[in-house]
Amino acid sequence: PVITFTSTGLTITGANTGKMTGDLNFLGVTKPVTLDVVWNGVGSGMMGGTRTGFSATGSIKRTDYGFDTYVPVIGDKVDLLIEIEFTKK
């Protein structure tokens, strides 16, 4: 029920882009993953407060983590689409 990602590094590739490396733990298996990240900017939120947002994308093979149910009927590749927003306190 829990998937965790622990960042181990970030390489800047452009003004608002980078590659984040880290360890993804899924079903008790930990493997290195690289995510493409984009900083979406900073501004005011609807309810006030300063916010900043990031998007990250990548992909994994679920069989690498021991999740092989219904393969190959259901595809092995899983696309990761992550949206994160932080609020300044």
Side-chain angles (χ1 to χ4, degrees), residues 10-73:
L10 176 66
T11 301
I12 304 300
T13 59
N16 296 336
T17 61
K19 295 218 178 258
M20 180 174 285
T21 55
D23 296 319
L24 183 75
N25 183 286
F26 176 38
L27 296 175
V29 177
T30 302
K31 298 234 178 232
V33 172
T34 299
L35 301 173
D36 294 314
V37 295
V38 176
W39 177 56
N40 297 320
V42 63
S44 298
M46 287 178 31
M47 304 301 283
T50 302
R51 300 172 188 275
T52 189
F54 297 86
S55 300
T57 59
S59 64
I60 61 169
K61 288 177 59 178
R62 60 191 185 99
T63 54
D64 287 347
Y65 297 86
F67 188 33
D68 59 2
T69 306
Y70 303 118
V71 172
V73 175

